[in-house]
Coordinates of all heavy atoms in Angstrom, one line a residue:
D1 N 27.7 10.2 -5.7 CA 27.7 9.9 -4.3 C 29.1 10.3 -3.9 O 29.3 11.3 -2.9 CB 27.6 8.5 -3.9 CG 26.2 8.3 -3.3 OD1 25.6 9.2 -2.8 OD2 25.7 7.1 -3.4
F2 N 30.2 9.7 -4.5 CA 31.6 10.0 -4.2 C 32.3 10.2 -5.5 O 32.4 9.3 -6.2 CB 32.2 8.9 -3.3 CG 31.4 8.4 -2.2 CD1 30.6 7.2 -2.3 CD2 31.4 9.1 -1.1 CE1 30.0 6.8 -1.2 CE2 30.7 8.7 0.0 CZ 29.9 7.6 0.0
P3 N 32.8 11.3 -5.8 CA 32.7 12.6 -5.0 C 31.3 13.1 -4.9 O 30.4 12.8 -5.8 CB 33.6 13.6 -5.7 CG 33.6 13.1 -7.1 CD 33.5 11.6 -7.1
S4 N 31.1 14.1 -4.1 CA 29.7 14.7 -3.8 C 29.2 15.3 -5.2 O 29.8 15.7 -5.9 CB 29.8 15.8 -2.9 OG 28.8 16.8 -3.0
Y5 N 27.7 15.2 -5.2 CA 27.2 15.7 -6.4 C 27.2 17.2 -6.5 O 27.0 17.8 -7.5 CB 25.6 15.3 -6.4 CG 24.8 15.6 -5.1 CD1 24.4 16.9 -4.9 CD2 24.5 14.6 -4.3 CE1 23.6 17.1 -3.7 CE2 23.7 14.9 -3.1 CZ 23.2 16.1 -2.8 OH 22.6 16.5 -1.8
H6 N 27.7 17.8 -5.4 CA 28.0 19.2 -5.5 C 29.4 19.6 -6.1 O 29.7 20.8 -6.3 CB 27.9 19.9 -4.1 CG 26.6 20.1 -3.6 ND1 25.7 20.9 -4.0 CD2 25.9 19.4 -2.5 CE1 24.6 20.9 -3.3 NE2 24.7 20.1 -2.3
T7 N 30.1 18.4 -6.4 CA 31.4 18.7 -7.0 C 31.6 17.9 -8.3 O 32.8 18.1 -8.9 CB 32.6 18.3 -6.0 OG1 32.4 17.0 -5.7 CG2 32.4 19.2 -4.7
A8 N 30.7 17.0 -8.6 CA 30.9 16.2 -9.9 C 29.5 15.6 -10.4 O 28.6 15.5 -9.5 CB 31.9 15.0 -9.5
G9 N 29.5 15.2 -11.5 CA 28.4 14.4 -12.0 C 27.3 15.3 -12.6 O 27.5 16.6 -12.9
N10 N 26.0 14.6 -12.9 CA 25.1 15.4 -13.6 C 24.5 16.5 -12.9 O 24.1 17.5 -13.6 CB 24.0 14.4 -14.2 CG 23.3 13.6 -13.2 OD1 23.7 13.6 -11.8 ND2 22.3 12.8 -13.5
Y11 N 24.3 16.5 -11.6 CA 23.9 17.6 -10.9 C 24.9 18.8 -11.0 O 24.5 19.8 -11.1 CB 23.7 17.2 -9.4 CG 23.0 18.3 -8.5 CD1 21.6 18.4 -8.6 CD2 23.6 19.0 -7.7 CE1 20.9 19.2 -7.8 CE2 23.0 20.0 -6.9 CZ 21.5 20.1 -7.0 OH 21.0 20.9 -6.2
F12 N 26.0 18.4 -10.7 CA 27.2 19.4 -10.7 C 27.2 20.1 -12.3 O 27.3 21.3 -12.3 CB 28.5 18.8 -10.6 CG 29.7 19.9 -10.6 CD1 30.0 20.8 -9.8 CD2 30.6 19.7 -11.7 CE1 31.1 21.6 -10.0 CE2 31.7 20.5 -11.9 CZ 32.0 21.3 -10.9
E13 N 27.0 19.2 -13.2 CA 27.1 19.9 -14.6 C 25.9 20.6 -15.1 O 25.9 21.4 -16.2 CB 27.4 18.6 -15.5 CG 28.8 18.2 -15.4 CD 28.9 16.7 -15.9 OE1 28.1 16.2 -16.5 OE2 30.0 16.1 -15.7
A14 N 24.7 20.3 -14.4 CA 23.5 21.1 -14.8 C 23.6 22.5 -14.5 O 24.4 22.9 -13.6 CB 22.4 20.5 -14.0
D15 N 22.7 23.3 -15.1 CA 22.6 24.8 -14.8 C 21.8 24.9 -13.5 O 21.1 24.1 -13.1 CB 22.2 25.6 -15.9 CG 20.7 25.1 -16.5 OD1 20.1 24.6 -15.7 OD2 20.4 25.5 -17.6
E16 N 21.6 26.1 -13.2 CA 20.9 26.5 -11.8 C 19.4 25.9 -11.9 O 19.0 25.3 -11.1 CB 20.9 27.9 -11.5 CG 22.2 28.4 -11.0 CD 22.1 29.9 -10.5 OE1 21.1 30.2 -10.0 OE2 23.1 30.5 -10.8
Q17 N 18.8 26.1 -13.1 CA 17.4 25.7 -13.4 C 17.4 24.2 -13.2 O 16.4 23.6 -12.7 CB 16.9 26.3 -14.7 CG 15.4 25.9 -14.9 CD 15.0 26.5 -16.3 OE1 15.7 27.2 -16.9 NE2 13.7 26.3 -16.5
G18 N 18.4 23.5 -14.0 CA 18.4 22.0 -13.9 C 18.5 21.5 -12.6 O 17.9 20.4 -12.2
R19 N 19.5 22.0 -11.8 CA 19.6 21.6 -10.4 C 18.4 21.7 -9.5 O 18.0 20.8 -8.9 CB 20.7 22.3 -9.6 CG 22.1 22.0 -10.3 CD 23.2 22.8 -9.6 NE 24.4 22.8 -10.3 CZ 25.0 24.0 -10.8 NH1 24.6 25.1 -10.3 NH2 26.0 23.9 -11.4
A20 N 17.6 22.8 -9.8 CA 16.4 23.0 -9.0 C 15.4 22.0 -9.3 O 14.7 21.3 -8.5 CB 15.8 24.4 -9.2
K21 N 15.5 21.6 -10.7 CA 14.5 20.7 -11.2 C 14.8 19.2 -10.6 O 13.8 18.6 -10.2 CB 14.6 20.6 -12.7 CG 13.7 19.5 -13.4 CD 13.9 19.5 -15.0 CE 13.3 18.4 -15.5 NZ 11.8 18.2 -15.6
M22 N 16.0 18.9 -10.6 CA 16.4 17.6 -10.0 C 16.0 17.5 -8.6 O 15.5 16.5 -8.1 CB 17.9 17.4 -10.3 CG 18.3 17.3 -11.8 SD 20.2 17.1 -11.9 CE 20.4 15.4 -11.4
W23 N 16.3 18.6 -7.8 CA 16.2 18.5 -6.3 C 14.6 18.4 -6.1 O 14.1 17.6 -5.3 CB 16.6 19.9 -5.8 CG 16.4 19.9 -4.4 CD1 15.2 20.3 -3.6 CD2 17.4 19.6 -3.3 NE1 15.6 20.4 -2.2 CE2 16.8 19.8 -2.1 CE3 18.7 19.1 -3.3 CZ2 17.4 19.5 -0.8 CZ3 19.3 18.8 -2.2 CH2 18.7 19.1 -0.9
W24 N 13.8 19.2 -6.9 CA 12.3 19.2 -6.6 C 11.8 17.8 -7.0 O 10.8 17.4 -6.4 CB 11.6 20.3 -7.2 CG 11.9 21.7 -6.6 CD1 12.2 22.9 -7.2 CD2 11.7 22.1 -5.3 NE1 12.4 23.9 -6.4 CE2 12.2 23.4 -5.2 CE3 11.6 21.4 -4.0 CZ2 12.2 24.1 -4.0 CZ3 11.6 22.0 -2.9 CH2 11.9 23.3 -2.9
E25 N 12.2 17.3 -8.1 CA 11.6 16.0 -8.5 C 12.1 14.9 -7.5 O 11.4 13.9 -7.2 CB 12.2 15.6 -9.9 CG 11.5 16.5 -11.0 CD 11.3 15.9 -12.3 OE1 11.5 14.6 -12.4 OE2 10.9 16.5 -13.2
C26 N 13.3 15.0 -6.8 CA 13.7 14.0 -5.8 C 12.6 14.2 -4.7 O 12.1 13.2 -4.1 CB 14.9 14.4 -5.4 SG 15.5 13.5 -3.8
V27 N 12.2 15.5 -4.2 CA 11.3 15.8 -3.1 C 9.9 15.3 -3.6 O 9.1 14.6 -2.6 CB 11.2 17.2 -2.8 CG1 10.1 17.5 -1.7 CG2 12.6 17.8 -2.2
E28 N 9.5 15.5 -4.7 CA 8.3 14.9 -5.3 C 8.2 13.5 -5.2 O 7.1 12.9 -4.8 CB 8.0 15.6 -6.6 CG 7.6 17.0 -6.6 CD 7.8 17.7 -8.0 OE1 7.9 17.0 -9.0 OE2 7.9 19.0 -8.2
T29 N 9.2 12.9 -5.6 CA 9.3 11.4 -5.5 C 9.2 10.9 -4.2 O 8.4 9.9 -3.9 CB 10.5 10.9 -6.2 OG1 10.6 11.3 -7.5 CG2 10.6 9.4 -6.2
M30 N 9.9 11.6 -3.3 CA 9.7 11.1 -1.8 C 8.4 11.2 -1.4 O 7.8 10.3 -0.6 CB 10.8 12.0 -1.1 CG 10.7 11.6 0.5 SD 12.2 12.7 1.3 CE 11.7 14.2 0.9
A31 N 7.7 12.4 -1.6 CA 6.2 12.6 -1.2 C 5.4 11.6 -1.8 O 4.5 11.1 -1.2 CB 5.9 14.0 -1.6
Q32 N 5.7 11.2 -3.0 CA 4.8 10.1 -3.7 C 5.0 8.8 -3.0 O 4.0 8.1 -2.8 CB 5.4 10.2 -5.1 CG 4.5 9.1 -6.0 CD 5.1 9.1 -7.5 OE1 6.0 9.8 -7.9 NE2 4.3 8.3 -8.2
V33 N 6.2 8.4 -2.5 CA 6.4 7.2 -1.7 C 5.5 7.3 -0.3 O 4.8 6.3 0.0 CB 7.7 7.0 -1.4 CG1 8.0 5.9 -0.3 CG2 8.7 6.8 -2.7
H34 N 5.5 8.4 0.2 CA 4.8 8.5 1.5 C 3.3 8.5 1.3 O 2.6 8.2 2.3 CB 5.4 9.9 2.3 CG 6.7 9.8 2.6 ND1 7.5 11.0 2.6 CD2 7.6 8.7 2.6 CE1 8.8 10.5 2.9 NE2 8.9 9.4 2.9
L35 N 2.8 8.9 0.2 CA 1.4 9.0 0.0 C 0.9 7.6 -0.4 O -0.5 7.5 -0.6 CB 1.0 10.0 -1.0 CG 1.2 11.5 -0.4 CD1 1.1 12.6 -1.6 CD2 0.2 11.9 0.6
L36 N 1.6 6.6 -0.6 CA 1.2 5.3 -0.9 C 0.5 4.6 0.3 O 0.9 5.1 1.4 CB 2.4 4.4 -1.3 CG 3.0 4.8 -2.7 CD1 4.3 3.9 -2.8 CD2 2.1 4.7 -3.9
D37 N -0.4 3.7 0.1 CA -1.0 3.0 1.2 C -0.3 1.5 1.5 O -0.4 0.7 0.7 CB -2.4 2.7 0.8 CG -3.3 2.0 1.9 OD1 -2.6 1.5 2.9 OD2 -4.4 2.1 1.8
P38 N 0.5 1.7 2.5 CA 1.3 0.4 2.8 C 0.4 -0.9 3.1 O 0.9 -2.1 2.6 CB 2.1 0.7 4.1 CG 2.0 2.1 4.3 CD 0.7 2.6 3.6
E39 N -0.7 -0.7 3.5 CA -1.6 -1.9 3.6 C -2.0 -2.4 2.3 O -2.2 -3.6 2.1 CB -2.7 -1.4 4.6 CG -3.7 -2.7 5.1 CD -4.8 -2.3 6.0 OE1 -4.5 -1.2 6.7 OE2 -5.7 -3.0 6.1
E40 N -2.5 -1.5 1.5 CA -3.0 -1.9 0.1 C -1.9 -2.5 -0.7 O -2.1 -3.5 -1.4 CB -3.5 -0.6 -0.5 CG -4.1 -0.8 -1.9 CD -4.5 0.5 -2.6 OE1 -5.1 1.2 -1.9 OE2 -4.2 0.6 -3.8
L41 N -0.7 -2.1 -0.4 CA 0.5 -2.7 -1.1 C 1.1 -4.0 -0.4 O 2.0 -4.6 -1.0 CB 1.6 -1.7 -1.2 CG 1.2 -0.5 -2.2 CD1 2.3 0.5 -2.1 CD2 1.2 -1.0 -3.6
R42 N 0.4 -4.3 0.6 CA 0.8 -5.5 1.4 C 2.4 -5.4 1.9 O 3.1 -6.4 1.7 CB 0.7 -6.9 0.6 CG -0.8 -7.1 0.3 CD -1.0 -8.4 -0.5 NE -0.4 -8.2 -1.9 CZ 0.6 -9.0 -2.3 NH1 1.0 -10.1 -1.6 NH2 1.0 -8.8 -3.5
L43 N 2.6 -4.3 2.5 CA 4.0 -4.1 2.9 C 4.1 -4.2 4.6 O 5.1 -3.9 5.1 CB 4.4 -2.7 2.6 CG 4.6 -2.4 1.1 CD1 4.9 -0.9 0.8 CD2 5.7 -3.3 0.4
G44 N 3.1 -4.9 5.1 CA 3.2 -5.1 6.5 C 4.4 -5.8 7.0 O 4.8 -5.7 8.3
F45 N 5.1 -6.6 6.1 CA 6.3 -7.3 6.6 C 7.4 -6.4 6.9 O 8.5 -6.8 7.4 CB 6.8 -8.3 5.4 CG 7.1 -7.6 4.2 CD1 8.5 -7.3 4.0 CD2 6.4 -7.5 3.2 CE1 8.9 -6.8 2.8 CE2 6.6 -6.8 1.9 CZ 7.9 -6.5 1.7
L46 N 7.4 -5.1 6.6 CA 8.4 -4.1 6.9 C 8.3 -3.7 8.3 O 9.1 -2.8 8.8 CB 8.4 -2.9 5.8 CG 8.7 -3.3 4.5 CD1 8.5 -2.0 3.5 CD2 10.2 -3.7 4.3
A47 N 7.2 -3.9 9.0 CA 7.2 -3.5 10.4 C 8.1 -4.3 11.2 O 8.7 -5.4 10.8 CB 5.7 -3.7 10.9
M48 N 8.5 -3.9 12.5 CA 9.4 -4.5 13.3 C 8.8 -4.8 14.7 O 9.4 -4.2 15.8 CB 10.7 -3.7 13.4 CG 11.4 -3.5 12.0 SD 12.9 -2.4 12.1 CE 12.2 -0.9 12.1

């Protein structure tokens, strides 16, 4: 986070292919979160 992953850490140290893999797996994880059913998981308490 600090310093930015574009200047330090495992993303910085990875090669181009590795960075693309990390980025896409982040996007895939996010999509996986969104495709869950909040009602089935009883997450209604998160509404406001």
Side-chain angles (χ1 to χ4, degrees):
D1 258 336
F2 309 105
S4 152
Y5 55 79
H6 284 295
T7 62
N10 56 354
Y11 189 80
F12 175 76
E13 292 161 4
D15 60 19
E16 290 186 32
Q17 186 178 0
R19 291 181 198 126
K21 176 180 170 66
M22 293 174 75
W23 183 275
W24 289 133
E25 291 214 4
C26 173
V27 174
E28 287 162 15
T29 299
M30 179 174 58
Q32 190 179 350
V33 170
H34 299 156
L35 291 170
L36 296 172
D37 184 342
E39 189 173 341
E40 186 181 313
L41 292 170
R42 297 179 295 120
L43 294 172
F45 64 91
L46 293 175
M48 298 180 277

